[in-house]
Amino acid sequence: MNRRKFIKNASLTGVGLAVGNSLVNCADGNSKENLEKGKIIANPSKVNLPLVIATWDVKNATAKAMEVLQAGGNSLDAVEQGCKIEEANEKGQSVGKGGLPDRDGNVTLDACIMDKHGNCGSVVYLQNITHAVSVARKVMEDTPHVMLAGEGAKQFAISKGFKVEDLLTETSKKAWEKWKVEAKYKPIINIENHDTIGMLAIDKHGDISGACTTSGLAYKLGGRVGDSPIIGSGLFVDNEIGACVATGLGEEVVKTVGSFLVVELMRQGKSPQDACEEAISRIVNKPNSDYKNFQVGYIAVNKSGETGSYSIHQWFSMTKFQDGVNEQIQSDYFNKV
Ligand code: SD4
């Protein structure tokens, strides 16, 4: 049996187990009616909650989120606090302080956050504020809006007490100056390594939240916004079903409304793994898809605490913290040739 078939069969078995679990859970709160509607009620004693997953190798971030959850914090606090660790990490060149700039040398941030009620907040093209995810949360909680952009987002952040900072570090400035020598128009997307962080958490009450924060593609056109702050593309949370977050070339995620797609596929009964695989297949199977030249990765969790991750190319990974184990898990991927 080849690897792909093996994985397919394994995930089919996973679906079988998930259905089995749901039936068992029936006695624990999942009415037949709810199950027929696609609703799954989390049962903390069976799921081993709390649980945190995040894109890429970000164990410090998942550790912070788990610390919040273990202290009795909710999943919204956990994903915000977890993402802030990467935003403040100057070594991460795809997020927050130290993020690589656009082609004009400006570091511009995109972020969003979504809670168990389906409330959400987002900032796009935000400059000079490190913690874009926290500004997104303020948009969600303190305004009647979902999304603020550019100077308006910055002024809003300042009005809420956020510190104005130069986000272009010496290392990122040097990398940009090197890039300028050839200044290739095409956005460079490094297949092996990104550090945009997308995080999903389920707290001990079984409630799900998610967040995503990034400086976007390095050397992008000034004004470019990716998938990460777009609800439904970079992130989607449905507390009845599950959640998904994306990383990679945002344009391809936006074109397929990737995270919403994954959650809807889970609503129709797919496991998180199968839903992520289907969402990647929508991208790579487009006529004339240029997928060999870009990366997209999804991670997802369902209400039962099952997780999945899948990408176009090798080397995408997910960090998962559950049951006292904080580990990086290599993702399965499409392009095996
Ligand atoms: C974007 N999806 O702006 C982001 C980039 C990313 O790891 O995920 N990089 O398109």
Side-chain angles (χ1 to χ4, degrees), residues 83-143:
C83 284
K84 282 177 77 174
I85 296 288
E86 280 303 303
E87 288 180 333
N89 173 11
E90 292 187 19
K91 290 197 184 124
Q93 289 193 302
S94 303
V95 58
K97 198 162 187 178
L100 288 167
D102 66 15
R103 51 193 294 136
D104 306 316
N106 299 314
V107 180
T108 71
L109 307 181
D110 294 338
C112 72
I113 194 160
M114 194 161 183
D115 74 6
K116 64 176 179 178
H117 302 297
N119 294 319
C120 45
S122 156
V123 286
V124 307
Y125 197 72
L126 175 68
Q127 293 184 60
N128 300 109
I129 308 283
T130 300
H131 293 300
V133 72
S134 298
V135 184
R137 183 167 176 178
K138 290 275 179 217
V139 173
M140 174 174 89
E141 291 180 340
D142 295 0
T143 82

Side-chain angles (χ1 to χ4, degrees), residues 125-246:
Y125 197 72
L126 175 68
Q127 293 184 60
N128 300 109
I129 308 283
T130 300
H131 293 300
V133 72
S134 298
V135 184
R137 183 167 176 178
K138 290 275 179 217
V139 173
M140 174 174 89
E141 291 180 340
D142 295 0
T143 82
H145 309 303
V146 164
M147 191 179 275
L148 290 181
E151 190 56 26
K154 182 175 163 183
Q155 290 308 324
F156 170 73
I158 293 169
S159 79
K160 293 288 169 187
F162 285 83
K163 198 166 97 194
V164 174
E165 289 179 88
D166 184 2
L167 303 182
L168 188 63
T169 55
E170 269 313 303
T171 315
S172 291
K173 192 172 173 196
K174 277 196 191 121
W176 170 58
E177 273 157 1
K178 197 169 159 207
W179 171 83
K180 275 203 293 183
V181 176
E182 283 194 30
K184 285 204 185 108
Y185 176 77
K186 197 172 152 57
I188 298 163
I189 189 104
N190 173 352
I191 284 171
E192 286 83 31
N193 194 17
H194 302 254
D195 16 51
T196 289
I197 174 164
M199 184 178 277
L200 308 172
I202 313 186
D203 59 33
K204 64 179 182 187
H205 305 294
D207 290 323
I208 311 173
S209 299
C212 187
T213 179
T214 186
S215 54
L217 296 185
Y219 321 128
K220 60 197 174 186
L221 273 179
R224 181 264 186 190
V225 170
D227 60 314
S228 303
I230 311 292
I231 299 298
S233 292
L235 170 73
F236 197 71
V237 176
D238 182 329
N239 200 38
E240 284 180 353
I241 303 300
C244 175
V245 69

Side-chain angles (χ1 to χ4, degrees), residues 294-332:
F294 61 81
Q295 172 72 304
V296 170
Y298 291 108
I299 65 168
V301 64
N302 69 11
K303 194 74 174 166
S304 299
E306 295 171 299
T307 60
S309 72
Y310 199 67
S311 57
I312 299 176
H313 300 282
Q314 200 172 8
W315 307 125
F316 175 52
S317 63
M318 164 172 85
T319 306
K320 179 172 177 173
F321 201 154
Q322 185 180 29
D323 278 338
V325 182
N326 190 13
E327 59 182 341
Q328 184 191 9
I329 300 169
Q330 284 300 325
S331 173
D332 190 24

Side-chain angles (χ1 to χ4, degrees), residues 18-36:
V19 170
N21 268 342
S22 301
L23 291 175
V24 175
N25 282 347
C26 227
D28 310 333
N30 280 304
S31 67
K32 199 164 173 276
E33 194 193 355
N34 272 348
L35 289 172
E36 272 160 14

